[in-house]
Short mmCIF file of all heavy atoms in Angstrom, two decimals:
data_model
loop_
_atom_site.label_atom_id
_atom_site.label_comp_id
_atom_site.label_asym_id
_atom_site.label_seq_id
_atom_site.Cartn_x
_atom_site.Cartn_y
_atom_site.Cartn_z
N MET A 5 0.82 -1.21 0.00
CA MET A 5 0.01 0.00 0.02
C MET A 5 0.90 1.25 0.01
O MET A 5 1.85 1.39 0.76
CB MET A 5 -0.90 -0.04 1.25
CG MET A 5 -1.88 1.13 1.27
SD MET A 5 -2.92 0.94 2.74
CE MET A 5 -4.26 1.97 2.15
N GLU A 6 0.56 2.18 -0.91
CA GLU A 6 1.34 3.40 -0.96
C GLU A 6 1.04 4.34 0.24
O GLU A 6 -0.08 4.37 0.70
CB GLU A 6 0.98 4.16 -2.22
CG GLU A 6 1.42 3.45 -3.47
CD GLU A 6 1.00 4.22 -4.74
OE1 GLU A 6 -0.06 4.83 -4.68
OE2 GLU A 6 1.74 4.05 -5.68
N LYS A 7 2.11 5.00 0.72
CA LYS A 7 1.91 6.00 1.78
C LYS A 7 1.58 7.34 1.03
O LYS A 7 2.33 7.75 0.18
CB LYS A 7 3.17 6.12 2.59
CG LYS A 7 3.44 4.92 3.46
CD LYS A 7 4.73 5.00 4.18
CE LYS A 7 4.70 6.02 5.27
NZ LYS A 7 5.95 6.11 6.01
N LYS A 8 0.43 7.90 1.42
CA LYS A 8 0.01 9.16 0.73
C LYS A 8 -0.29 10.23 1.78
O LYS A 8 -0.64 9.92 2.94
CB LYS A 8 -1.21 8.88 -0.04
CG LYS A 8 -1.05 7.94 -1.20
CD LYS A 8 -2.35 7.77 -1.97
CE LYS A 8 -2.12 6.76 -3.08
NZ LYS A 8 -3.39 6.55 -3.84
N ARG A 9 -0.15 11.47 1.35
CA ARG A 9 -0.55 12.59 2.18
C ARG A 9 -1.27 13.63 1.23
O ARG A 9 -0.93 13.67 0.08
CB ARG A 9 0.65 13.24 2.85
CG ARG A 9 1.24 12.38 3.95
CD ARG A 9 2.41 13.09 4.59
NE ARG A 9 3.10 12.22 5.53
CZ ARG A 9 2.94 12.32 6.86
NH1 ARG A 9 2.19 13.20 7.36
NH2 ARG A 9 3.61 11.45 7.63
N VAL A 10 -2.11 14.40 1.83
CA VAL A 10 -2.81 15.45 1.12
C VAL A 10 -2.39 16.78 1.65
O VAL A 10 -2.43 16.97 2.91
CB VAL A 10 -4.34 15.25 1.18
CG1 VAL A 10 -5.04 16.44 0.60
CG2 VAL A 10 -4.79 14.01 0.45
N PHE A 11 -2.03 17.73 0.80
CA PHE A 11 -1.66 19.03 1.27
C PHE A 11 -2.87 19.81 1.72
O PHE A 11 -3.89 19.81 1.03
CB PHE A 11 -0.91 19.78 0.16
CG PHE A 11 0.40 19.18 -0.15
CD1 PHE A 11 0.51 18.31 -1.22
CD2 PHE A 11 1.52 19.52 0.59
CE1 PHE A 11 1.74 17.76 -1.52
CE2 PHE A 11 2.72 18.87 0.30
CZ PHE A 11 2.86 18.05 -0.74
N ARG A 12 -2.84 20.35 2.94
CA ARG A 12 -4.03 21.01 3.49
C ARG A 12 -4.05 22.48 3.23
O ARG A 12 -4.99 23.19 3.54
CB ARG A 12 -4.09 20.73 5.01
CG ARG A 12 -3.02 21.33 5.85
CD ARG A 12 -3.33 21.14 7.32
NE ARG A 12 -2.32 21.81 8.13
CZ ARG A 12 -1.47 21.17 8.90
NH1 ARG A 12 -1.49 19.87 8.99
NH2 ARG A 12 -0.56 21.85 9.58
N GLN A 13 -2.97 23.00 2.71
CA GLN A 13 -2.94 24.43 2.38
C GLN A 13 -1.96 24.62 1.18
O GLN A 13 -1.18 23.78 0.84
CB GLN A 13 -2.42 25.27 3.51
CG GLN A 13 -0.97 24.92 3.98
CD GLN A 13 -0.59 25.62 5.27
OE1 GLN A 13 -1.37 25.70 6.15
NE2 GLN A 13 0.65 26.07 5.32
N ASP A 14 -2.11 25.78 0.52
CA ASP A 14 -1.19 26.09 -0.57
C ASP A 14 0.25 26.26 -0.05
O ASP A 14 0.44 26.74 1.10
CB ASP A 14 -1.59 27.39 -1.30
CG ASP A 14 -2.93 27.23 -2.04
OD1 ASP A 14 -3.43 26.08 -2.11
OD2 ASP A 14 -3.43 28.21 -2.55
N TYR A 15 1.21 25.82 -0.79
CA TYR A 15 2.61 25.91 -0.39
C TYR A 15 3.48 26.25 -1.50
O TYR A 15 3.37 25.70 -2.61
CB TYR A 15 3.02 24.51 0.23
CG TYR A 15 4.49 24.42 0.51
CD1 TYR A 15 4.97 24.98 1.69
CD2 TYR A 15 5.36 23.83 -0.36
CE1 TYR A 15 6.35 24.91 1.99
CE2 TYR A 15 6.74 23.73 -0.06
CZ TYR A 15 7.20 24.26 1.13
OH TYR A 15 8.54 24.17 1.42
N VAL A 16 4.37 27.18 -1.28
CA VAL A 16 5.43 27.56 -2.27
C VAL A 16 6.75 27.51 -1.53
O VAL A 16 6.91 28.08 -0.48
CB VAL A 16 5.19 28.98 -2.84
CG1 VAL A 16 6.31 29.32 -3.85
CG2 VAL A 16 3.82 29.08 -3.51
N SER A 17 7.69 26.77 -2.12
CA SER A 17 8.96 26.61 -1.40
C SER A 17 9.75 27.94 -1.42
O SER A 17 9.48 28.82 -2.27
CB SER A 17 9.84 25.54 -2.12
OG SER A 17 10.17 25.98 -3.39
N LEU A 18 10.67 28.09 -0.47
CA LEU A 18 11.40 29.36 -0.39
C LEU A 18 12.22 29.64 -1.59
O LEU A 18 12.37 30.80 -2.01
CB LEU A 18 12.33 29.30 0.89
CG LEU A 18 11.62 29.34 2.23
CD1 LEU A 18 12.63 29.14 3.34
CD2 LEU A 18 10.83 30.60 2.39
N ASP A 19 12.73 28.56 -2.24
CA ASP A 19 13.56 28.79 -3.46
C ASP A 19 12.68 28.75 -4.71
O ASP A 19 13.20 28.77 -5.81
CB ASP A 19 14.67 27.73 -3.51
CG ASP A 19 14.16 26.31 -3.42
OD1 ASP A 19 12.95 26.14 -3.51
OD2 ASP A 19 14.99 25.48 -3.15
N LYS A 20 11.38 28.73 -4.54
CA LYS A 20 10.41 28.79 -5.67
C LYS A 20 10.56 27.62 -6.66
O LYS A 20 10.10 27.74 -7.80
CB LYS A 20 10.48 30.11 -6.38
CG LYS A 20 10.43 31.35 -5.52
CD LYS A 20 9.00 31.75 -5.34
CE LYS A 20 9.01 33.16 -4.69
NZ LYS A 20 8.04 33.39 -3.68
N GLU A 21 11.19 26.52 -6.26
CA GLU A 21 11.34 25.39 -7.15
C GLU A 21 10.01 24.69 -7.42
O GLU A 21 9.79 24.19 -8.53
CB GLU A 21 12.30 24.36 -6.60
CG GLU A 21 13.74 24.68 -6.80
CD GLU A 21 14.62 23.56 -6.34
OE1 GLU A 21 14.44 22.43 -6.75
OE2 GLU A 21 15.56 23.84 -5.59
N TYR A 22 9.16 24.68 -6.46
CA TYR A 22 7.84 24.01 -6.62
C TYR A 22 6.83 24.57 -5.74
O TYR A 22 7.10 25.28 -4.79
CB TYR A 22 7.99 22.48 -6.31
CG TYR A 22 8.86 22.17 -5.08
CD1 TYR A 22 8.48 22.39 -3.81
CD2 TYR A 22 10.18 21.65 -5.26
CE1 TYR A 22 9.29 22.08 -2.75
CE2 TYR A 22 11.01 21.39 -4.22
CZ TYR A 22 10.51 21.58 -2.94
OH TYR A 22 11.32 21.32 -1.84
N GLU A 23 5.56 24.35 -6.11
CA GLU A 23 4.42 24.82 -5.28
C GLU A 23 3.34 23.77 -5.40
O GLU A 23 3.25 23.04 -6.37
CB GLU A 23 3.94 26.17 -5.76
CG GLU A 23 3.40 26.19 -7.16
CD GLU A 23 3.01 27.65 -7.53
OE1 GLU A 23 3.86 28.44 -7.84
OE2 GLU A 23 1.80 27.88 -7.57
N PHE A 24 2.58 23.66 -4.32
CA PHE A 24 1.46 22.73 -4.26
C PHE A 24 0.24 23.44 -3.80
O PHE A 24 0.30 24.34 -2.96
CB PHE A 24 1.76 21.59 -3.33
CG PHE A 24 3.13 20.87 -3.62
CD1 PHE A 24 4.14 21.09 -2.73
CD2 PHE A 24 3.28 20.10 -4.71
CE1 PHE A 24 5.40 20.45 -2.95
CE2 PHE A 24 4.51 19.50 -4.99
CZ PHE A 24 5.56 19.69 -4.10
N LYS A 25 -0.87 23.06 -4.34
CA LYS A 25 -2.18 23.65 -3.92
C LYS A 25 -2.85 22.70 -2.89
O LYS A 25 -2.71 21.47 -2.97
CB LYS A 25 -3.15 23.75 -5.13
CG LYS A 25 -2.53 24.61 -6.24
CD LYS A 25 -2.35 26.07 -5.76
CE LYS A 25 -1.84 26.93 -6.91
NZ LYS A 25 -1.29 28.23 -6.46
N GLY A 26 -3.56 23.33 -1.97
CA GLY A 26 -4.32 22.52 -0.99
C GLY A 26 -5.16 21.49 -1.65
O GLY A 26 -5.81 21.74 -2.64
N GLY A 27 -5.16 20.22 -1.15
CA GLY A 27 -5.98 19.17 -1.67
C GLY A 27 -5.24 18.26 -2.64
O GLY A 27 -5.68 17.19 -2.99
N GLU A 28 -4.01 18.64 -3.11
CA GLU A 28 -3.28 17.78 -3.97
C GLU A 28 -2.70 16.59 -3.17
O GLU A 28 -2.40 16.73 -2.02
CB GLU A 28 -2.09 18.52 -4.64
CG GLU A 28 -2.48 19.47 -5.70
CD GLU A 28 -1.32 20.04 -6.49
OE1 GLU A 28 -0.56 20.81 -5.88
OE2 GLU A 28 -1.15 19.70 -7.62
N GLU A 29 -2.63 15.47 -3.83
CA GLU A 29 -2.18 14.24 -3.16
C GLU A 29 -0.72 13.98 -3.49
O GLU A 29 -0.32 14.01 -4.63
CB GLU A 29 -3.03 13.05 -3.59
CG GLU A 29 -2.83 11.82 -2.82
CD GLU A 29 -3.85 10.77 -3.21
OE1 GLU A 29 -3.56 10.07 -4.20
OE2 GLU A 29 -4.88 10.66 -2.60
N ALA A 30 0.03 13.65 -2.42
CA ALA A 30 1.49 13.29 -2.63
C ALA A 30 1.67 11.88 -2.25
O ALA A 30 1.16 11.39 -1.20
CB ALA A 30 2.33 14.14 -1.73
N ILE A 31 2.37 11.08 -3.08
CA ILE A 31 2.74 9.72 -2.80
C ILE A 31 4.20 9.76 -2.30
O ILE A 31 5.04 10.34 -2.99
CB ILE A 31 2.60 8.85 -4.03
CG1 ILE A 31 1.12 8.78 -4.49
CG2 ILE A 31 3.14 7.47 -3.75
CD1 ILE A 31 0.97 8.15 -5.87
N ILE A 32 4.46 9.18 -1.19
CA ILE A 32 5.79 9.20 -0.56
C ILE A 32 6.62 8.16 -1.27
O ILE A 32 6.31 6.95 -1.23
CB ILE A 32 5.72 8.97 0.96
CG1 ILE A 32 4.87 10.05 1.59
CG2 ILE A 32 7.16 8.92 1.53
CD1 ILE A 32 4.61 9.73 3.09
N ILE A 33 7.74 8.55 -1.84
CA ILE A 33 8.65 7.61 -2.51
C ILE A 33 9.73 7.16 -1.53
O ILE A 33 10.05 6.01 -1.46
CB ILE A 33 9.33 8.27 -3.78
CG1 ILE A 33 8.23 8.85 -4.71
CG2 ILE A 33 10.27 7.33 -4.49
CD1 ILE A 33 7.30 7.81 -5.30
N GLU A 34 10.32 8.14 -0.86
CA GLU A 34 11.38 7.79 0.14
C GLU A 34 11.31 8.82 1.27
O GLU A 34 11.29 10.03 1.05
CB GLU A 34 12.78 7.89 -0.50
CG GLU A 34 13.88 7.44 0.38
CD GLU A 34 15.24 7.52 -0.38
OE1 GLU A 34 15.26 7.49 -1.62
OE2 GLU A 34 16.25 7.59 0.29
N GLU A 35 11.20 8.34 2.48
CA GLU A 35 10.96 9.16 3.63
C GLU A 35 12.16 9.12 4.56
O GLU A 35 12.33 8.16 5.35
CB GLU A 35 9.75 8.74 4.36
CG GLU A 35 9.22 9.75 5.35
CD GLU A 35 7.80 9.38 5.86
OE1 GLU A 35 7.26 8.30 5.51
OE2 GLU A 35 7.26 10.17 6.64
N LYS A 36 13.10 10.08 4.38
CA LYS A 36 14.29 10.13 5.25
C LYS A 36 14.51 11.52 5.68
O LYS A 36 14.22 12.49 4.98
CB LYS A 36 15.56 9.71 4.42
CG LYS A 36 15.62 8.22 4.11
CD LYS A 36 16.91 7.94 3.42
CE LYS A 36 17.08 6.44 3.12
NZ LYS A 36 18.31 6.15 2.42
N ILE A 37 15.11 11.68 6.87
CA ILE A 37 15.44 13.00 7.37
C ILE A 37 16.82 13.33 6.82
O ILE A 37 17.71 12.41 6.82
CB ILE A 37 15.45 13.00 8.93
CG1 ILE A 37 14.02 12.71 9.39
CG2 ILE A 37 16.05 14.30 9.52
CD1 ILE A 37 13.80 12.60 10.88
N PRO A 38 17.16 14.45 6.26
CA PRO A 38 16.44 15.71 6.39
C PRO A 38 15.45 15.94 5.21
O PRO A 38 14.78 16.94 5.22
CB PRO A 38 17.52 16.75 6.34
CG PRO A 38 18.55 16.19 5.39
CD PRO A 38 18.48 14.67 5.73
N ASN A 39 15.40 15.07 4.23
CA ASN A 39 14.52 15.31 3.07
C ASN A 39 13.55 14.13 2.83
O ASN A 39 13.79 13.00 3.29
CB ASN A 39 15.34 15.51 1.83
CG ASN A 39 16.25 16.76 1.87
OD1 ASN A 39 15.74 17.81 2.20
ND2 ASN A 39 17.51 16.59 1.62
N VAL A 40 12.51 14.43 2.11
CA VAL A 40 11.59 13.34 1.71
C VAL A 40 11.35 13.51 0.23
O VAL A 40 11.28 14.60 -0.32
CB VAL A 40 10.22 13.50 2.51
CG1 VAL A 40 9.54 14.76 2.23
CG2 VAL A 40 9.30 12.35 2.16
N LYS A 41 11.33 12.36 -0.46
CA LYS A 41 11.03 12.35 -1.92
C LYS A 41 9.59 11.96 -2.12
O LYS A 41 9.11 11.00 -1.52
CB LYS A 41 11.93 11.30 -2.65
CG LYS A 41 13.37 11.73 -2.61
CD LYS A 41 14.18 10.71 -3.35
CE LYS A 41 15.70 11.09 -3.21
NZ LYS A 41 16.57 10.05 -3.82
N ILE A 42 8.85 12.82 -2.92
CA ILE A 42 7.46 12.56 -3.16
C ILE A 42 7.15 12.64 -4.58
O ILE A 42 7.95 13.22 -5.40
CB ILE A 42 6.59 13.55 -2.30
CG1 ILE A 42 6.91 15.01 -2.77
CG2 ILE A 42 6.75 13.38 -0.86
CD1 ILE A 42 6.01 16.06 -2.20
N LYS A 43 5.98 12.17 -4.97
CA LYS A 43 5.46 12.28 -6.33
C LYS A 43 4.11 12.91 -6.24
O LYS A 43 3.21 12.50 -5.53
CB LYS A 43 5.34 10.89 -6.99
CG LYS A 43 4.89 10.95 -8.42
CD LYS A 43 5.03 9.62 -9.17
CE LYS A 43 4.22 8.57 -8.58
NZ LYS A 43 4.22 7.33 -9.38
N VAL A 44 3.95 14.07 -6.95
CA VAL A 44 2.71 14.82 -7.00
C VAL A 44 2.35 14.98 -8.46
O VAL A 44 3.14 15.56 -9.22
CB VAL A 44 2.83 16.15 -6.31
CG1 VAL A 44 1.48 16.90 -6.40
CG2 VAL A 44 3.27 16.05 -4.85
N ASP A 45 1.21 14.52 -8.86
CA ASP A 45 0.77 14.66 -10.21
C ASP A 45 1.81 14.17 -11.24
O ASP A 45 2.18 14.86 -12.19
CB ASP A 45 0.37 16.08 -10.53
CG ASP A 45 -0.46 16.25 -11.80
OD1 ASP A 45 -1.16 15.26 -12.21
OD2 ASP A 45 -0.38 17.31 -12.38
N LYS A 46 2.36 12.99 -11.01
CA LYS A 46 3.34 12.32 -11.85
C LYS A 46 4.67 12.97 -11.92
O LYS A 46 5.53 12.63 -12.74
CB LYS A 46 2.77 12.13 -13.31
CG LYS A 46 1.49 11.34 -13.34
CD LYS A 46 1.03 11.16 -14.76
CE LYS A 46 -0.29 10.41 -14.76
NZ LYS A 46 -0.85 10.29 -16.09
N LYS A 47 4.94 13.99 -11.09
CA LYS A 47 6.28 14.63 -11.06
C LYS A 47 6.94 14.30 -9.70
O LYS A 47 6.29 14.26 -8.66
CB LYS A 47 6.09 16.11 -11.18
CG LYS A 47 5.58 16.56 -12.53
CD LYS A 47 5.48 18.06 -12.60
CE LYS A 47 4.77 18.48 -13.88
NZ LYS A 47 4.51 19.93 -13.91
N LEU A 48 8.25 14.08 -9.68
CA LEU A 48 8.98 13.75 -8.51
C LEU A 48 9.58 15.03 -7.86
O LEU A 48 10.07 15.93 -8.66
CB LEU A 48 10.14 12.78 -8.87
CG LEU A 48 9.69 11.38 -9.30
CD1 LEU A 48 10.91 10.60 -9.71
CD2 LEU A 48 8.93 10.70 -8.23
N TYR A 49 9.54 15.16 -6.56
CA TYR A 49 10.03 16.29 -5.83
C TYR A 49 10.82 15.77 -4.64
O TYR A 49 10.53 14.66 -4.11
CB TYR A 49 8.91 17.22 -5.35
CG TYR A 49 8.04 17.76 -6.40
CD1 TYR A 49 6.89 17.12 -6.82
CD2 TYR A 49 8.37 18.94 -7.09
CE1 TYR A 49 6.07 17.64 -7.84
CE2 TYR A 49 7.53 19.49 -8.02
CZ TYR A 49 6.40 18.83 -8.43
OH TYR A 49 5.59 19.35 -9.39
N GLN A 50 11.70 16.62 -4.18
CA GLN A 50 12.40 16.38 -2.91
C GLN A 50 12.30 17.65 -2.10
O GLN A 50 12.59 18.73 -2.63
CB GLN A 50 13.90 16.02 -3.17
CG GLN A 50 14.60 15.71 -1.86
CD GLN A 50 15.97 15.14 -2.16
OE1 GLN A 50 16.11 14.19 -2.92
NE2 GLN A 50 17.00 15.70 -1.55
N MET A 51 11.86 17.56 -0.91
CA MET A 51 11.67 18.76 -0.09
C MET A 51 12.04 18.49 1.39
O MET A 51 12.15 17.31 1.77
CB MET A 51 10.28 19.32 -0.18
CG MET A 51 9.22 18.39 0.37
SD MET A 51 7.49 18.91 0.00
CE MET A 51 7.43 20.48 0.84
N PRO A 52 12.28 19.48 2.16
CA PRO A 52 12.65 19.26 3.54
C PRO A 52 11.53 18.53 4.27
O PRO A 52 10.38 18.84 4.14
CB PRO A 52 12.78 20.68 4.11
CG PRO A 52 13.11 21.54 2.92
CD PRO A 52 12.37 20.93 1.78
N TYR A 53 11.96 17.50 5.03
CA TYR A 53 11.00 16.64 5.75
C TYR A 53 10.13 17.45 6.67
O TYR A 53 8.91 17.27 6.69
CB TYR A 53 11.82 15.59 6.52
CG TYR A 53 10.96 14.57 7.19
CD1 TYR A 53 10.52 13.47 6.47
CD2 TYR A 53 10.62 14.69 8.55
CE1 TYR A 53 9.76 12.52 7.03
CE2 TYR A 53 9.84 13.71 9.15
CZ TYR A 53 9.39 12.62 8.40
OH TYR A 53 8.64 11.69 9.00
N ARG A 54 10.70 18.44 7.36
CA ARG A 54 9.92 19.28 8.28
C ARG A 54 8.79 20.00 7.55
O ARG A 54 7.65 20.07 8.07
CB ARG A 54 10.85 20.28 8.94
CG ARG A 54 10.18 21.21 9.92
CD ARG A 54 11.14 22.25 10.47
NE ARG A 54 11.63 23.10 9.37
CZ ARG A 54 12.84 23.53 9.32
NH1 ARG A 54 13.72 23.29 10.24
NH2 ARG A 54 13.20 24.29 8.28
N ASP A 55 9.01 20.64 6.39
CA ASP A 55 8.04 21.33 5.67
C ASP A 55 6.96 20.39 5.22
O ASP A 55 5.75 20.71 5.27
CB ASP A 55 8.62 22.00 4.44
CG ASP A 55 9.52 23.19 4.78
OD1 ASP A 55 9.55 23.62 5.95
OD2 ASP A 55 10.22 23.71 3.89
N PHE A 56 7.31 19.23 4.79
CA PHE A 56 6.35 18.25 4.26
C PHE A 56 5.38 17.81 5.37
O PHE A 56 4.16 17.76 5.17
CB PHE A 56 7.07 17.01 3.76
CG PHE A 56 6.14 15.95 3.23
CD1 PHE A 56 5.41 16.12 2.10
CD2 PHE A 56 6.05 14.72 3.90
CE1 PHE A 56 4.56 15.15 1.61
CE2 PHE A 56 5.16 13.76 3.40
CZ PHE A 56 4.42 13.95 2.27
N ILE A 57 5.86 17.55 6.60
CA ILE A 57 5.02 17.10 7.68
C ILE A 57 4.05 18.25 8.09
O ILE A 57 2.90 18.05 8.30
CB ILE A 57 5.82 16.67 8.88
CG1 ILE A 57 6.62 15.39 8.56
CG2 ILE A 57 4.98 16.41 10.10
CD1 ILE A 57 5.85 14.23 8.08
N VAL A 58 4.56 19.49 8.15
CA VAL A 58 3.73 20.61 8.55
C VAL A 58 2.58 20.88 7.62
O VAL A 58 1.52 21.23 8.03
CB VAL A 58 4.61 21.89 8.65
CG1 VAL A 58 3.79 23.16 8.78
CG2 VAL A 58 5.54 21.77 9.82
N ILE A 59 2.79 20.69 6.33
CA ILE A 59 1.76 21.12 5.41
C ILE A 59 0.82 19.98 4.91
O ILE A 59 0.08 20.21 3.94
CB ILE A 59 2.39 21.81 4.15
CG1 ILE A 59 3.28 20.83 3.38
CG2 ILE A 59 3.17 23.02 4.59
CD1 ILE A 59 3.74 21.35 2.02
N SER A 60 0.87 18.85 5.52
CA SER A 60 0.11 17.71 5.02
C SER A 60 -0.49 16.91 6.05
O SER A 60 -0.15 17.00 7.25
CB SER A 60 0.97 16.85 4.09
OG SER A 60 2.04 16.31 4.83
N HIS A 61 -1.49 16.09 5.71
CA HIS A 61 -2.05 15.10 6.61
C HIS A 61 -2.16 13.77 5.89
O HIS A 61 -2.22 13.72 4.65
CB HIS A 61 -3.40 15.53 7.16
CG HIS A 61 -4.52 15.60 6.13
ND1 HIS A 61 -4.73 16.73 5.38
CD2 HIS A 61 -5.42 14.71 5.70
CE1 HIS A 61 -5.71 16.51 4.55
NE2 HIS A 61 -6.16 15.30 4.71
N LYS A 62 -2.21 12.66 6.63
CA LYS A 62 -2.21 11.36 6.06
C LYS A 62 -3.55 11.03 5.38
O LYS A 62 -4.58 11.51 5.87
CB LYS A 62 -1.90 10.28 7.13
CG LYS A 62 -0.48 10.35 7.62
CD LYS A 62 -0.29 9.29 8.69
CE LYS A 62 1.15 9.34 9.25
NZ LYS A 62 1.38 8.35 10.29
N VAL A 63 -3.47 10.23 4.33
CA VAL A 63 -4.68 9.74 3.69
C VAL A 63 -4.98 8.39 4.30
O VAL A 63 -4.10 7.58 4.38
CB VAL A 63 -4.50 9.60 2.15
CG1 VAL A 63 -5.70 8.98 1.49
CG2 VAL A 63 -4.22 10.95 1.53
N GLU A 64 -6.23 8.23 4.78
CA GLU A 64 -6.58 6.93 5.37
C GLU A 64 -6.82 5.87 4.38
O GLU A 64 -7.31 6.09 3.32
CB GLU A 64 -7.85 7.11 6.22
CG GLU A 64 -7.65 8.10 7.37
CD GLU A 64 -6.69 7.61 8.41
OE1 GLU A 64 -6.71 6.36 8.70
OE2 GLU A 64 -5.99 8.39 9.01
#
């Protein structure tokens, strides 16, 4: 079973590399500190683990 999270608010990274809208679903590819690799809408991203946890909630 894939681990997924849904973004609960709009998010734009500080370096403007990526942005996500509230309600988009992220599939976790690799979850390691300090970064997490995710896939959103068929695109792969890597972002700080702390930011990812703050802006999302788990999909049941």
Side-chain angles (χ1 to χ4, degrees):
M5 182 176 203
E6 294 177 327
K7 292 174 71 178
K8 297 180 182 179
R9 291 180 185 258
V10 171
F11 293 96
R12 67 173 183 246
Q13 63 187 40
D14 293 352
Y15 172 79
V16 180
S17 67
L18 291 176
D19 53 15
K20 307 274 193 221
E21 279 186 50
Y22 40 75
E23 62 182 77
F24 306 109
K25 302 295 182 195
E28 286 188 293
E29 190 173 85
I31 298 170
I32 301 168
I33 306 298
E34 186 177 340
E35 196 169 2
K36 289 185 177 178
I37 295 175
N39 296 310
V40 62
K41 291 181 184 175
I42 60 173
K43 181 167 62 171
V44 179
D45 194 28
K46 300 181 183 177
K47 295 179 186 174
L48 295 175
Y49 300 93
Q50 182 170 311
M51 64 188 298
Y53 187 82
R54 178 184 64 218
D55 290 349
F56 179 68
I57 295 303
V58 167
I59 63 170
S60 60
H61 68 272
K62 292 180 181 176
V63 175
E64 298 292 327

